[in-house]
Amino acid sequence: MSDTFPHQHAAHCETGVISTILRANGLEISEPMAFGLASGITYAYLPIIKINGQPLISYRIPPRMITRMLAWRIPGLEIKFRKFRHEAEGQRALDEILDQHKIAGLQTSVFFLPYFPQEMRFHFNAHNLLVYGREDCNYLISDPVFSHVVNADAKSLSKARFAKGPLAPKGLMYYPTKMPETIEIPRILPKAIKMTCRTFSNRNPFPFSGVKGMRRVARQIDNLEKMDSHSARLYLGHIVRMQEEIGTGGAGFRFMYAAFLQEAGEATCSQLLTGLSEEMTDIGDEWRMFAFLCARKSKNRGAVSFVEVADQLRKIARLEQNLFARLSEYRQ
Amino acid sequence: MKKKDVPQDQNSIFEGETKAVYAISEKGKIEIAQSSGWDVEAVVLKQAIEEIERHACDALNRAHSGETSALEYHMYAQRMDMTILAQASGRFKWQIQRDFNPKRFNKLSKRVLEKYADVLGIDVETLVRLPK
């Protein structure tokens, strides 16, 4: 199956891997559909968790959750997750799976993968990829963030799987053990959408997530005025990196969610979903505008004030709250 | 974002690879489009890399003047920080901070040095030396 593997170039690693795995096993689910059905979209500002000394700002649910949510939501789908204590053990288990001509998803670090461009290697441990075969010591890999299949030698791959540090993958490997024949998307949709709408409603009790999280970050940006300019610049740059660079399909997953709404609208012939999909793309454009303003301010180009940047984020919060309020009226 | 608006700013960091983003096609369908990079992204990534390099350079200067040990330089050179190194090596942050003292660092046992070298992905020889 090595030459003809149906590789998928995807916007995000985790959704890309799970979508390709399900497709290879005969269940037709696109990347945005997997993302939407897992209620993957969110906004979370977590100042306690630091990434390179900066607070974590996430636009999707935590790593592994998308895969777990899908396994939980789709009736008849079971996915096995395995972690290992020793490198040799992990490699043996992977070989066993490959010898059975199955494919497996892996969680790895980015830093040790030889096929990544040098400058893009950071110590980021929650990357996902898919192994579909082995040729001697080389593993054949379908990494969704690349437009083509790649390969890695056993030693580097093992090192990437057992990288240490925050979010350490511990050799995590996952593969489906039970596959449903078909999937009834219209039946799962209402649940998935309802959960997302709850996150973005004003009634979300957790003040660091959803629209309240956005407003909190906006207040932080207001206050950057008082901070020294070097740290302020780094903070704004960090916000943009979390939104755009870490495989989000642009605009912090908003475009991907719009694609999901469009697909769902077609599958259920729902005018509401199709209409909201268009609005979601407009909101995505606003997010890109926000990234643009941040980068501009962070480079000290043009006369943008911190308040203007923050106001853009507040505007987005308002728009998203409004959109998800209307989406919550969706019924089967 | 329309497909024709997908940024194609030739980000050199990608080394010829492309990135997938979702955009609206002419028919109004939202699908994957290839982007060769966006300037906004390139600016902030460059900024982040420069920040790490600034730390590394600063540590190197201080190491040469004997204010810190080679460990601090190699930590930044491998794009790590204190938190990552602590979690990866299994040592406490205060222990690492202590090992930044050159006197202490020179007295470290082989076992500890090997641990640091392993986590940093370099050999012990490189770890105890500074680049010219």
Side-chain angles (χ1 to χ4, degrees), chain A residues 275-289:
Chain A
L276 288 179
S277 146
E278 272 167 40
E279 278 182 49
M280 195 80 224
T281 14
D282 293 341
I283 294 180
D285 289 334
E286 295 290 338
W287 277 107
R288 284 176 75 82
M289 185 66 201

Side-chain angles (χ1 to χ4, degrees), chain A residues 2-290:
Chain A
S2 53
D3 291 331
T4 53
F5 186 76
H7 175 70
Q8 232 190 139
H9 189 193
H12 180 63
C13 57
E14 190 173 355
T15 46
V17 164
I18 191 65
S19 158
T20 314
I21 288 184
L22 294 180
R23 274 183 165 168
N25 284 297
L27 196 64
E28 198 53 39
I29 290 186
S30 69
E31 184 195 12
M33 191 44 92
F35 181 66
L37 289 184
S39 308
I41 198 169
T42 186
Y43 187 88
Y45 166 68
L46 299 169
I48 315 157
I49 305 175
K50 295 271 193 254
I51 292 186
N52 303 322
Q54 301 277 8
L56 177 73
I57 298 169
S58 181
Y59 293 80
R60 53 111 202 245
I61 53 178
R64 293 203 284 280
M65 273 301 276
I66 291 178
T67 315
R68 281 184 200 278
M69 286 291 268
L70 271 183
W72 180 57
R73 244 182 213 143
I74 300 177
L77 175 66
E78 267 174 36
I79 294 175
K80 191 170 171 72
F81 290 84
R82 286 170 74 182
K83 283 187 176 180
F84 303 93
R85 202 165 291 170
H86 304 291
E87 288 193 23
E89 209 180 309
Q91 198 173 332
R92 209 176 321 123
L94 176 62
D95 288 345
E96 271 167 30
I97 292 290
L98 294 175
D99 288 342
Q100 296 167 26
H101 298 286
K102 285 191 196 159
I103 53 178
L106 297 177
Q107 187 189 336
T108 64
S109 154
V110 178
F111 193 75
F112 302 102
L113 293 174
Y115 55 84
F116 254 81
Q118 190 66 44
E119 294 280 304
M120 288 176 78
R121 291 192 199 167
F122 278 91
H123 287 282
F124 173 65
N125 279 337
H127 184 62
N128 285 269
L129 50 81
L130 188 160
V131 184
Y132 65 92
R134 180 172 54 135
E135 274 172 5
D136 301 326
C137 274
N138 259 332
Y139 284 89
L140 307 175
I141 294 171
S142 154
D143 190 323
V145 304
F146 283 79
S147 57
H148 47 85
V149 290
V150 288
N151 55 56
D153 57 291
K155 207 178 155 206
S156 310
L157 185 64
S158 189
K159 204 155 187 202
R161 288 178 71 191
F162 289 90
K164 308 235 170 61
L167 293 172
K170 293 181 183 143
L172 182 80
M173 171 170 102
Y174 51 94
Y175 49 87
T177 47
K178 234 188 223 167
M179 292 290 299
E181 305 253 306
T182 50
I183 164 173
E184 279 182 72
I185 288 174
R187 278 190 66 184
I188 312 172
L189 267 182
K191 266 190 206 164
I193 287 178
K194 201 171 157 194
M195 185 166 166
T196 305
C197 291
R198 223 178 279 151
T199 317
F200 282 92
S201 107
N202 225 1
R203 275 179 288 175
N204 179 352
F206 189 56
F208 294 91
S209 72
V211 286
K212 285 182 198 162
M214 289 177 211
R215 294 193 178 117
R216 189 172 282 257
V217 173
R219 276 203 299 281
Q220 294 267 328
I221 297 175
D222 282 337
N223 291 338
L224 288 181
E225 204 96 49
K226 295 169 209 147
M227 224 154 130
D228 69 297
S229 71
H230 183 73
S231 342
R233 285 178 54 206
L234 282 179
Y235 185 61
L236 285 179
H238 173 75
I239 293 178
V240 179
R241 286 186 62 210
M242 297 306 268
Q243 181 188 319
E244 293 292 334
E245 188 192 290
I246 308 170
T248 65
F253 295 98
R254 267 58 188 171
F255 290 135
M256 205 198 281
Y257 201 73
F260 157 70
L261 288 178
Q262 190 177 56
E263 223 187 300
E266 275 166 24
T268 56
C269 301
S270 158
Q271 286 291 318
L272 176 75
L273 295 185
T274 317
L276 288 179
S277 146
E278 272 167 40
E279 278 182 49
M280 195 80 224
T281 14
D282 293 341
I283 294 180
D285 289 334
E286 295 290 338
W287 277 107
R288 284 176 75 82
M289 185 66 201
F290 171 65

